[in-house]
C-alpha cells in the first residue's frame, strides 16, 4: 500500500490544470453595448508578444454575452482568457435592459473572476477602452486603480460582479453603479455620478457625483476616507472628515426613520479659533443641519427613481409587514422616510 500511496501523492503534485500564458490572451477589460439579440462585445488585452507591446481591442457581434465572446474567439491567435478581468463596462443602452443577462455567464464558469468592478458609461464605449493607450499602461490595471480610488474616498458603493449579481437576485434591493463620462479637456474617464437601477434595469436616473458620497454614507458603505466641504459664514471654507458613522433604521407603521450617529473632524477651516466651545458647537449644529438637508434630498431622489438601494423593502418585510405592498417599488416611492443625524466634532486638527 505504501507504494500505491506514494504514486498517488506524486500524481497530486503535478500541475495537471496548468494553463500557459503564452497560449492565452489575458483579457483585463470587457465592454458591452446593445441588447440581447443584437449585442456588441469588446475585449481588451495587452499584446505582450509584440516588440513594443500595445493594447488590443477585439470587437464582436452576437445575440448574447457568451455568443459575442465566441465570435471574438474567431479573431484572435490565442484563446481569450478572462481569469484576470478587472472591469466590466456597459453602455446606458445595455444597462437599460435586464443587467443579469450580461453577467450570468460569469457565474457559470469557475475560471471567471467575480471581483471585477462593474460600471455604466455615457456615450461611445470605445472612448473608455482606449484610455490606457495614452498612459502606456494596461487597460484593466487603469480601471482597477480608478475604481479603488473612488471606493476608498467613498464616492461609490464597492460593487463587484458578484455583489451586483446578489443584489439583482434580491427582490427588495436595487443597484447604484458608478456612472462614467469622458472629461472633455483631458479625454479621460471621470465619475459622473451613480446610475440608479430600479429592479434590474437603469432608467436614466443619476445621482450627480457631488451627491454620491451622501448615498454611500446612507448605505453604510463608507470607504477609508469621506470628506465633505461647505462654504460657512463669510464665505469661509469648511471641510469635515467622517471618522465614524453608525446607522440605525427604525421601522414602524407610520413609516421609516434613519438615524445617523456621525463623528467628524475638521479638516479645513481658515478662521480657526475652534478652541472656543460656543463656536465649535455652532459649527457642529451647522454641519448637522447640512447633513439632514442633503440626506433628505438624496432619499427623495432615490424614491423618485423608485430605486431601493438601501434594501428598505427587506427590512419592512421583516419588521413591519403591514407596510409591504406589491408592487414594492411603487409603495417605496411614496413611503414616509425621515433621515436625522447627530453630529459630534471629535477633533479639530493640530490648529486651534
Amino acid at each position: 500500500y505504501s507504494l500505491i500511496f506514494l504514486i498517488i501523492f506524486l500524481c497530486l503534485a503535478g500541475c495537471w490544470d496548468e494553463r500557459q500564458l503564452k497560449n492565452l490572451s489575458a483579457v483585463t477589460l470587457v465592454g458591452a453595448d446593445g441588447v440581447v439579440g443584437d449585442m456588441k462585445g469588446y475585449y481588451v488585452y495587452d499584446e505582450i508578444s509584440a516588440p513594443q507591446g500595445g493594447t488590443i481591442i477585439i470587437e464582436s457581434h452576437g445575440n448574447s454575452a457568451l455568443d459575442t465572446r465566441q465570435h471574438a474567439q474567431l479573431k484572435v491567435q490565442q484563446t481569450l482568457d478572462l481569469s484576470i478581468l478587472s472591469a466590466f463596462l456597459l453602455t446606458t443602452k445595455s444597462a437599460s435592459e435586464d443587467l443579469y443577462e450580461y453577467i450570468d455567464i460569469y457565474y457559470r464558469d469557475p475560471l471567471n473572476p467575480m471581483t471585477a468592478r462593474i460600471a455604466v458609461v455615457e456615450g461611445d464605449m470605445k472612448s473608455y477602452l482606449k484610455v490606457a493607450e495614452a498612459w502606456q499602461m494596461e487597460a484593466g490595471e487603469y480601471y482597477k486603480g480608478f475604481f479603488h480610488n473612488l471606493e476608498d474616498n467613498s464616492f461609490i458603493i464597492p460593487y463587484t460582479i458578484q455583489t451586483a449579481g446578489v443584489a439583482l437576485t434580491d427582490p427588495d434591493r436595487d443597484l447604484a453603479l458608478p456612472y462614467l463620462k469622458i472629461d472633455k479637456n483631458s479625454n479621460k474617464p471621470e465619475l459622473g455620478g451613480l446610475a440608479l437601477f430600479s429592479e434590474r434595469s437603469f432608467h436614466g436616473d443619476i445621482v450627480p457625483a457631488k451627491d454620491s458620497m451622501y448615498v454611500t454614507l446612507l448605505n453604510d458603505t463608507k470607504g477609508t476616507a469621506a470628506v465633505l466641504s461647505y462654504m460657512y459664514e463669510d464665505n469661509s471654507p469648511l471641510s469635515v472628515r467622517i471618522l465614524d458613522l453608525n446607522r440605525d433604521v427604525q421601522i414602524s407603521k407610520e413609516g421609516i426613520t434613519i438615524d445617523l450617529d456621525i463623528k467628524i473632524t475638521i479638516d479645513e477651516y481658515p478662521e480657526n479659533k475652534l478652541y472656543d466651545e460656543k463656536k465649535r458647537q455652532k459649527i457642529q449644529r451647522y454641519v448637522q443641519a447640512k447633513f439632514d438637508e442633503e440626506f433628505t434630498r438624496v432619499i427623495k431622489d432615490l424614491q423618485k427613481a423608485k430605486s431601493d438601494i438601501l434594501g428598505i423593502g427587506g427590512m419592512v418585510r421583516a419588521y413591519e409587514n403591514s407596510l409591504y405592498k406589491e408592487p414594492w417599488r411603487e409603495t417605496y416611492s411614496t413611503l414616509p422616510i425621515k433621515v436625522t443625524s447627530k453630529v459630534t466634532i471629535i477633533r479639530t486638527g493640530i490648529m486651534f
Side-chain angles (χ1 to χ4, degrees):
Y1 289 107
S2 299
L3 181 60
I4 294 175
F5 281 123
L6 180 60
I7 294 173
I8 292 175
F9 287 144
L10 288 174
C11 290
L12 290 174
C15 299
W16 306 111
D17 61 345
E18 181 183 36
R19 303 165 74 228
Q20 292 285 346
L21 185 60
K22 66 180 181 179
N23 300 324
L24 303 171
S25 294
V27 176
T28 58
L29 178 63
V30 170
D33 190 11
V35 299
V36 173
D38 183 20
M39 191 180 295
K40 288 182 182 179
Y42 300 88
Y43 303 88
V44 184
Y45 63 92
D46 276 359
E47 183 57 79
I48 58 176
S49 60
Q52 297 180 345
T55 300
I56 307 297
I57 302 174
I58 301 297
E59 179 180 347
S60 64
H61 293 72
N63 293 319
S64 67
L66 184 57
D67 193 35
T68 58
R69 190 190 301 181
Q70 290 298 95
H71 281 82
Q73 298 283 15
L74 303 175
K75 303 180 180 183
V76 294
Q77 290 178 308
Q78 296 96 7
T79 300
L80 293 177
D81 176 73
L82 275 66
S83 62
I84 59 171
L85 181 68
S86 295
F88 178 46
L89 309 179
L90 302 100
T91 61
T92 53
K93 184 176 183 179
S94 295
S96 65
E97 301 293 307
D98 183 348
L99 180 61
Y100 196 82
E101 293 178 340
Y102 296 85
I103 66 175
D104 174 72
I105 60 172
Y106 295 95
Y107 278 87
R108 298 181 185 275
D109 186 346
L111 294 178
N112 286 331
M114 303 303 291
T115 56
R117 268 44 183 183
I118 181 170
V120 178
V121 302
E122 176 184 277
D124 181 30
M125 175 63 73
K126 290 183 179 179
S127 302
Y128 299 87
L129 306 180
K130 295 178 179 179
V131 65
E133 292 180 347
W135 292 81
Q136 296 182 343
M137 65 185 303
E138 186 265 321
E141 194 65 25
Y142 175 89
Y143 280 102
K144 182 178 180 180
F146 180 71
F147 287 125
H148 281 173
N149 171 58
L150 294 175
E151 292 168 7
D152 288 344
N153 287 282
S154 306
F155 289 113
I156 63 174
I157 300 172
Y159 277 117
T160 63
I161 288 179
Q162 179 178 7
T163 55
V166 171
L168 289 172
T169 56
D170 185 340
D172 301 320
R173 181 178 288 273
D174 294 311
L175 288 172
L177 296 181
Y179 182 82
L180 308 184
K181 60 182 183 179
I182 297 294
D183 179 73
K184 294 180 180 180
N185 295 321
S186 65
N187 289 323
K188 289 175 55 181
E190 67 175 359
L191 182 69
L194 297 177
L196 301 179
F197 282 65
S198 183
E199 296 188 80
R200 295 186 170 197
S201 303
F202 170 62
H203 301 287
D205 297 293
I206 301 166
V207 174
K210 66 182 181 65
D211 297 330
S212 64
M213 193 175 297
Y214 294 107
V215 175
T216 62
L217 294 174
L218 273 174
N219 194 54
D220 204 10
T221 48
K222 184 182 81 70
T224 56
V227 178
L228 294 159
S229 298
Y230 308 99
M231 294 304 293
Y232 191 50
E233 296 175 346
D234 299 324
N235 286 325
S236 179
L238 173 64
S239 297
V240 300
R241 180 182 300 269
I242 310 294
L243 296 178
D244 187 40
L245 182 147
N246 290 303
R247 186 186 71 174
D248 183 29
V249 182
Q250 301 290 331
I251 313 289
S252 69
K253 292 182 180 180
E254 287 71 38
I256 316 296
T257 301
I258 303 175
D259 296 319
L260 301 173
D261 186 4
I262 305 173
K263 306 291 192 297
I264 66 170
T265 182
I266 306 297
D267 267 16
E268 180 184 35
Y269 184 59
E271 294 295 319
N272 292 321
K273 299 181 180 179
L274 290 172
Y275 55 81
D276 186 327
E277 180 65 20
K278 290 184 179 180
K279 189 169 189 177
R280 195 161 61 246
Q281 288 294 327
K282 186 178 180 181
I283 290 176
Q284 189 169 279
R285 289 193 296 270
Y286 170 83
V287 173
Q288 183 169 298
K290 292 296 291 185
F291 279 5
D292 287 347
E293 176 187 341
E294 297 299 332
F295 284 130
T296 298
R297 183 169 56 81
V298 166
I299 279 289
K300 290 185 181 299
D301 289 342
L302 296 178
Q303 288 185 280
K304 184 179 179 181
K306 299 177 182 179
S307 182
D308 186 7
I309 68 168
L310 306 182
I312 289 175
M315 302 178 204
V316 169
R317 192 194 291 266
Y319 299 109
E320 192 57 65
N321 193 256
S322 62
L323 286 179
Y324 193 96
K325 293 179 176 62
E326 294 284 3
W328 166 245
R329 269 72 184 179
E330 295 295 333
T331 303
Y332 161 76
S333 67
T334 59
L335 204 64
I337 302 177
K338 183 180 180 181
V339 182
T340 61
S341 62
K342 177 186 176 184
V343 174
T344 307
I345 297 176
I346 301 298
R347 295 201 301 263
T348 59
I350 61 174
M351 297 295 293
F352 294 98

